[in-house]
Amino acid sequence: MRYNEKELQALSRQPAELAAELGMRGPKKGSVVKRRLVKLVVNFLFYFRTDEAEPVGALLLEHCRITQEEPSGFSISFIEDPERKYHFECCSEEQCQEWMGALRRASYEFMRRSLIFYRNEIQKMTGKDPLEQFGISEEARFQLSGLKA
């Protein structure tokens, strides 16, 4: 997937849903844990050297698996390459749970499923489609039939 570097840098400067200094180890063999400022912005996880303003890298949180590795650590792996894991070490088990929850909610697919669920709940309660006023109620991406089990 291609990205515009300037747009990614601009996105990395946006307010974060969650940000903290975490231990991070990349997927390369022999990689060591390094302290990184980690920022969750929309569905991107940016990581920075603790003394720099520009991100070292970014992970697009789509088609990924978030797994607890130890009480205060988790990993991110991607479905197309499950052996390629990024490991993160938090300060506490509570912080780890907070990060894992936020990362799982960050994907487009999670947001889409939530929108469809709440759309249907509102429609049951009011008898009206809440997306109709925006002119997008018929779009395929907002249809329940498009969901995979």
Side-chain angles (χ1 to χ4, degrees), residues 19-79:
E21 269 192 40
L22 302 177
M24 181 181 173
R25 182 167 43 93
K28 292 181 182 169
K29 214 171 194 146
S31 180
V32 296
V33 175
K34 296 176 183 173
R35 294 301 291 174
R36 295 284 187 235
L37 171 60
V38 180
K39 259 179 94 170
L40 176 60
V41 181
V42 191
N43 60 344
F44 278 93
L45 188 67
F46 293 97
Y47 49 98
F48 303 75
R49 289 187 181 91
T50 55
D51 60 345
E52 293 182 8
E54 298 300 324
V56 175
L59 301 175
L60 176 61
L61 299 172
E62 299 299 335
H63 307 289
C64 65
R65 180 168 285 123
I66 314 298
T67 309
Q68 188 161 5
E69 297 288 333
E70 52 196 58
S72 62
F74 64 92
S75 67
I76 299 173
S77 60
F78 294 89
I79 292 170

Side-chain angles (χ1 to χ4, degrees), residues 72-130:
S72 62
F74 64 92
S75 67
I76 299 173
S77 60
F78 294 89
I79 292 170
E80 66 272 359
D81 190 4
E83 298 304 312
R84 186 175 170 84
K85 284 186 180 181
Y86 293 82
H87 296 268
F88 296 87
E89 295 177 0
C90 300
C91 295
S92 66
E93 190 171 349
E94 293 78 25
Q95 185 186 40
C96 182
Q97 293 301 320
E98 180 182 24
W99 273 97
M100 289 174 51
L103 294 170
R104 287 180 178 138
R105 291 186 303 270
S107 76
Y108 172 82
E109 190 58 33
F110 179 86
M111 289 185 264
R112 180 179 165 275
R113 287 175 183 261
S114 296
L115 175 104
I116 290 170
F117 172 79
Y118 289 115
R119 173 192 187 189
N120 289 334
E121 291 299 304
I122 290 168
Q123 204 163 6
K124 284 181 204 172
M125 293 170 64
T126 66
K128 294 180 180 178
D129 183 351

